[in-house]
Amino acid sequence: MFEQGIDVEQLKPYHPHKEEMIKINKGKRFQQAVDAVEEFLRKTKGKDQASSHNSNEEKNRRNSSEERSKQSAGEEKRKASLSEGKLKKGTGEGKKRVSSVSSERGSKSPLKRAQDQSPRKRGRPPKDEKDLTIPESSTVKRVMTGTVAGFKWPPSVSEPVKDSDPHFHHFLLSQTEKPAVCYQAITKKLKVCEEETGSTSIQAADSTAVNGSITPTDKKIGFLGLGLMGSGIVSNLLKMGHTVTVWNRTAEKCDLFIQEGARLGRTPAEVVSTCDITFACVSDPKAAKDLVLGPSGVLQGIRPGKCYVDMSTVDADTVTELAQVIVSRGGRFLEAPVSGNQQLSNDGMLVILAAGDRGLYEDCSSCFQAMGKTSFFLGEVGNAAKMMLIVNMVQGSFMATIAEGLTLAQVTGQSQQTLLDILNQGQLASIFLDQKCQNILQGNFKPDFYLKYIQKDLRLAIALGDSVNHPTPMAAAANEVYKRAKALDQSDNDMSAVYRAYIH
């Protein structure tokens, strides 16, 4: 594979495309690799400057040494000539001395000795010229073997060989000032590694999509529901090489994914019957039940061995009911709600909370790696639903508190921007805090997580508390504020639009 190489035209400038590469390769390990390579290059640049300085000094010393050698050789030659002249006029002792001098000159002359002492030996290039030959090869060697700890070569030929990541090759190539020259050095190094390991792939330290390439399952995947979350999930499944059949209540939303290589299913029942594992991600408990139990629904396509994974955020009672009807038909069931938003879904950085059939959880491994940065298996059906509601209860309550703080700052004459700056320097600093405050300050409430859905989750979390007689006063208060925002027609805006409930 490496013999084919990469066209120089495909190389991209590093800095303008760095963020794009990081986004494509997702993850902590690749980011660590980027940081490690940049740190290495900074150190190398410093060493190169020092080496250049030392090289100039060495060159000056060499020139000085050669000059002294020439002078010394000339002086000894002159003395030798004078000695010869005197010896011609001398006695037999003088002739003996001449013979001695001639013998020494024949074996190794002073000039020859002076040349041998010089740093520059015959038939060998000077050190600085040698260093200029292939500096890139040295750099790549250290990057490959020591600096980027997040990447490793497969230990044996017996392991499955995965496709190498072209973005990592582009990343390495883009670090050099002479990509056309360095390309040959990198290719040479990759061929050497291929010979040493028996594999041509560069793999991440683990197999998750966040940290490197994954091997997609050979099972046929179905996906029902292409909303804010589902769209990003399906895109990443396709990107990672899965075979996916899609269905959505509004059929037009399928068109983009068909163009990306997905297949179209006419009904949920058809998708389930033609696929090995079918995922679903819909809005609420009613939609989840209708999808399974309605006309041409999932249940109509379930046969023994068929697998169904519900990724919707619903209550434990709903998911338990769905599990029972799926299993009663011989199917396998897993609940797997996801924590995140549209951006995290698009980036394949969701957190997956799963419960139910442990074997099915394992079978979904490559799919979960494609759509998320991590996953948790929480045991029996219902546990993931409960945990998801608690997570969203905390998030929704926090968002309401942020909005409350910003409005209080405004009415008391304090700068909202300054409040955000202070919060960003403290223990509450987070991407969530910054993004939602920016939404409010800019008046941009384009949905990343619908306000109506966070209010639904708060309502379900409060009901969960009621079921075990546990107080949820903070969530109850936040829920009232979201209900007020919904009354102000903010349902289809981002959850940060709860801010408007405080200013009306």
Side-chain angles (χ1 to χ4, degrees), residues 151-424:
F151 289 89
K152 68 178 182 180
W153 298 98
S156 68
V157 183
S158 62
E159 294 185 5
V161 178
K162 301 177 182 179
D163 294 337
S164 63
D165 187 347
H167 300 291
F168 185 68
H169 297 307
H170 290 175
F171 170 76
L172 289 177
L173 292 170
S174 66
Q175 297 297 301
T176 67
E177 295 178 359
K178 300 177 181 179
V181 176
C182 182
Y183 162 72
Q184 298 176 353
I186 291 176
T187 303
K188 181 178 179 182
K189 176 61 186 174
L190 293 176
K191 288 179 181 178
V192 170
C193 292
E194 176 184 350
E195 293 171 2
E196 291 176 352
T197 65
S199 172
T200 59
S201 64
I202 296 179
Q203 299 183 34
D206 61 307
S207 62
T208 64
V210 173
N211 299 312
S213 298
I214 65 171
T215 301
T217 179
D218 57 1
K219 297 181 182 297
K220 296 178 181 178
I221 304 300
F223 204 94
L224 312 175
L226 300 174
L228 289 183
M229 306 297 281
S231 294
I233 291 173
V234 170
S235 180
N236 282 306
L237 288 172
L238 291 169
K239 186 188 301 181
M240 294 300 171
H242 294 84
T243 300
V244 185
T245 299
V246 296
W247 173 89
N248 191 70
R249 185 173 53 184
T250 306
E252 291 77 13
K253 286 189 177 181
C254 298
D255 294 343
L256 176 62
F257 302 101
I258 302 303
Q259 295 173 13
E260 292 182 6
R263 302 171 184 177
L264 178 64
R266 292 175 296 179
T267 65
E270 180 183 285
V271 173
V272 171
S273 64
T274 58
C275 295
D276 300 304
I277 303 174
T278 299
F279 294 85
C281 187
V282 292
S283 58
D284 55 34
K286 182 180 184 305
K289 288 181 180 180
D290 289 345
L291 187 62
V292 173
L293 304 174
S296 300
V298 168
L299 196 59
Q300 302 302 314
I302 291 292
R303 299 193 306 271
K306 293 294 182 180
C307 302
Y308 187 64
V309 183
D310 195 336
M311 308 190 78
S312 312
T313 300
V314 297
D315 58 283
D317 290 342
T318 296
V319 78
T320 299
E321 180 183 346
L322 296 180
Q324 289 173 348
V325 296
I326 295 294
V327 173
S328 69
R329 295 287 183 92
R332 301 167 64 193
F333 182 86
L334 185 75
E335 58 166 334
V338 293
S339 177
N341 54 29
Q342 183 183 31
Q343 186 60 52
L344 293 176
S345 177
N346 292 341
D347 293 343
M349 296 289 282
L350 296 170
V351 176
I352 297 128
L353 311 182
D357 188 320
R358 182 62 188 254
L360 178 51
Y361 173 73
E362 299 295 341
D363 290 342
C364 293
S365 176
S366 72
C367 297
F368 288 159
Q369 290 166 13
M371 65 181 75
K373 65 178 179 180
T374 191
S375 63
F376 295 85
F377 184 77
L378 303 177
E380 65 182 18
V381 170
N383 285 345
K386 294 172 185 176
M387 184 66 80
M388 189 74 260
L389 291 177
I390 295 168
V391 169
N392 283 357
M393 178 188 76
V394 172
Q395 182 174 263
S397 299
F398 183 43
M399 181 66 252
T401 300
I402 292 172
E404 190 171 288
L406 286 173
T407 51
L408 182 59
Q410 183 180 42
V411 298
T412 58
Q414 306 304 305
S415 166
Q416 292 179 324
Q417 180 62 57
T418 301
L419 172 60
L420 173 57
D421 294 341
I422 294 170
L423 292 174
N424 275 335

Side-chain angles (χ1 to χ4, degrees), residues 55 57-67 69-70 111-130:
S55 177
E57 290 185 353
E58 177 66 22
K59 186 174 180 180
N60 292 336
R61 285 197 298 270
R62 185 164 58 248
N63 291 337
S64 177
S65 175
E66 290 178 354
E67 184 64 28
S69 296
K70 291 178 182 179
L111 179 59
K112 177 66 175 176
R113 287 197 304 273
Q115 290 174 335
D116 288 345
Q117 293 170 359
S118 171
R120 182 170 182 175
K121 295 183 179 181
R122 179 175 299 175
R124 184 177 299 175
K127 186 175 185 298
D128 55 344
E129 291 179 7
K130 182 179 179 181

Side-chain angles (χ1 to χ4, degrees), residues 27-41:
K28 194 174 291 183
R29 288 295 179 90
F30 192 84
Q31 178 65 61
Q32 289 173 351
V34 173
D35 295 340
V37 172
E38 290 187 341
E39 176 64 20
F40 170 77
L41 291 171

